[in-house]
Amino acid sequence: MTGPASAPRRRWKRRLLVLLLPVLAAGCCALPLMSTMNALTAVAAAGSATAVGIGDESGSAADIPPRMLTAYKKAATGIKGQVPRCRGMAWPVLAGIAKVESNHAAGRSISAAGDIRPRIYGVLLNGSGAGGNTTSFPDTDGGKWDGTASGERAVGPFQFLPSTWESTGRDGNGDGVRDPHNADDAALGAAVYLCGHGRDLSDGAQLRSAILQYNHSGAYADTVLGWISRYRSAGTPGRLSGSVATVVNAALAERGAPYSWGGGTTRGRSFGICCTPSGKSGVSVFGFDCSGLTLYAFAKAGIRLPHNADAQAAFGRRIPASAGQDALQAGDLVFFADGSGVIYHVGIALGNGTMVNAPRPGTVVRVDPIDAMSGYAGGARLL
């Protein structure tokens, strides 16, 4: 139900939720009662981050060698010349893949031109079971790239099969050679492969699909998505000023704080209450839930918000979901609604499709893609 006729219904729901706050949720944000999070985006981009041990990270890209980071950024920019219809390609996507495939060519030297030595070779894919391979791949390159004519080995920092590199490889450094052992070439080739015929990688489901094309393993996709989330947080805004900087920096300073149902006050972290619709208690957890984090951060700028995601949607100038995520600016509230239109979750926008987020019980405050939560419902500008 949409349009003017639905407005009184939504206002009634909002008032009812606020009245029932002490009984049902004590002002918490929660998973929607009827409509749950999209498994492909929420579990992969949020849950996997904790699984790979990055929930308390600082958003640093310090584990990436500078020359490799340059290659990732160069490829993300250059992809438009290769796959014009591709959207959402960003260096954290490439960094997430390369982290899992080769740990960013760890232990190798990388020349100014991007050449990686010694070369990186995977196990011989002969079906022996070594390294998890159970299928034999016949040789396709005569050992040119993988160093053996006995079969196939994945090569380079992005671990391409020579047969795949033949069609996907690109000359990223302009030396006239497509070399999977060159950082620039390999990164651009990986960008082309992930983009396919023109994916929108800002969409969580399409991003996961691209990663699964790279490796048909759900666990692999979860791990890569976790690292992408980490590297995305490295690009959080650093030149904000005034009240926007106050709010954003206050929220970012709480990365690593445990999610606590009902937790968070204008003074900071607090113990929460019992219990979520699924029975999770915050009584013994010292931290924030989603609306507790936002009310704390905005209190730093002198703005008082209620401890309830749906009620917070009544504040500021609304930014409709139809305007798209690009309409959000750093410091805006970001809302997510269930199937009936009730706001069940809130975060703080950082720009570039990311937000400071307290996702759910068992996680921590961190930087996530906005697509990590389902039911994007626009935002609100209070600053």
Side-chain angles (χ1 to χ4, degrees):
M1 184 176 184
T2 60
S6 65
R9 180 180 176 216
R10 288 198 180 102
R11 286 196 296 270
W12 175 81
K13 285 184 176 180
R14 186 170 292 138
R15 287 196 296 269
L16 179 61
L17 280 173
V18 173
L19 288 172
L20 293 178
L21 214 52
V23 177
L24 294 179
C28 304
C29 61
L31 296 182
L33 297 178
M34 308 269 310
S35 175
T36 57
M37 302 168 68
N38 182 292
L40 292 183
T41 54
V43 173
S48 65
T50 299
V52 297
I54 66 171
D56 58 353
E57 53 82 26
S58 64
S60 172
D63 66 318
I64 305 176
R67 186 60 184 84
M68 293 300 294
L69 183 58
T70 296
Y72 305 154
K73 290 181 176 180
K74 184 178 180 181
T77 301
I79 191 61
K80 287 299 181 184
Q82 302 290 330
V83 188
R85 293 175 56 198
C86 185
R87 294 184 56 204
M89 174 54 70
W91 72 262
V93 174
L94 297 170
I97 295 284
K99 174 66 178 182
V100 176
E101 294 293 344
S102 70
N103 195 20
H104 308 300
R108 266 67 174 181
S109 64
I110 310 168
S111 72
D115 295 317
I116 299 169
R117 297 295 183 270
R119 291 180 167 188
I120 302 170
Y121 297 123
V123 299
L124 185 64
L125 299 175
N126 57 6
S128 67
N133 87 90
T134 57
T135 303
S136 179
F137 289 82
D139 176 68
T140 63
D141 69 335
K144 177 181 180 181
W145 298 124
D146 63 5
T148 178
S150 300
E152 292 281 83
R153 296 195 292 188
V155 297
F158 284 88
Q159 290 291 278
F160 279 101
L161 287 177
S163 56
T164 304
W165 181 254
E166 182 64 29
S167 60
T168 305
R170 294 295 188 275
D171 177 15
N173 66 351
D175 65 356
V177 178
R178 298 182 301 140
D179 184 352
H181 298 283
N182 177 275
D184 296 327
D185 294 1
L188 186 56
V192 169
Y193 191 71
L194 290 165
C195 281
H197 297 295
R199 287 191 178 95
D200 180 1
L201 300 177
S202 65
D203 177 80
Q206 292 190 50
L207 175 59
R208 184 176 176 86
S209 177
I211 295 169
L212 286 171
Q213 174 184 292
Y214 209 96
N215 185 315
H216 301 289
S217 163
Y220 174 88
D222 289 345
T223 302
V224 169
L225 284 163
W227 282 107
I228 291 172
S229 177
R230 171 175 184 161
Y231 294 131
R232 273 178 169 151
S233 71
T236 54
R239 294 188 181 90
L240 303 178
S241 61
S243 296
V244 172
T246 298
V247 169
V248 168
N249 289 333
L252 287 173
E254 295 302 326
R255 280 177 293 184
Y259 183 100
S260 175
W261 177 257
T265 71
T266 56
R267 296 183 297 278
R269 305 180 192 189
S270 73
F271 289 104
I273 62 161
C274 185
C275 284
T276 71
S278 62
K280 303 292 185 180
S281 175
V283 171
S284 62
V285 183
F286 193 69
F288 296 97
D289 64 11
C290 69
S291 58
L293 177 66
T294 53
L295 79 83
Y296 164 70
F298 277 87
K300 290 289 188 180
I303 297 174
R304 305 281 292 196
L305 294 174
H307 197 154
N308 176 267
D310 192 65
Q312 289 181 4
F315 288 73
R317 179 174 69 81
R318 284 304 300 270
I319 302 166
S322 60
Q325 295 179 13
D326 289 344
L328 296 172
Q329 297 178 6
D332 290 342
L333 290 174
V334 187
F335 298 114
F336 303 86
D338 65 14
S340 65
V342 175
I343 303 297
Y344 76 89
H345 192 80
V346 62
I348 299 175
L350 295 173
N352 299 318
T354 63
M355 63 178 172
V356 189
N357 190 29
R360 64 181 188 277
T363 65
V364 297
V365 175
R366 63 193 183 206
V367 175
D368 272 337
I370 289 174
D371 290 333
M373 310 299 294
S374 66
Y376 174 64
R381 187 159 299 150
L382 284 66
L383 303 169

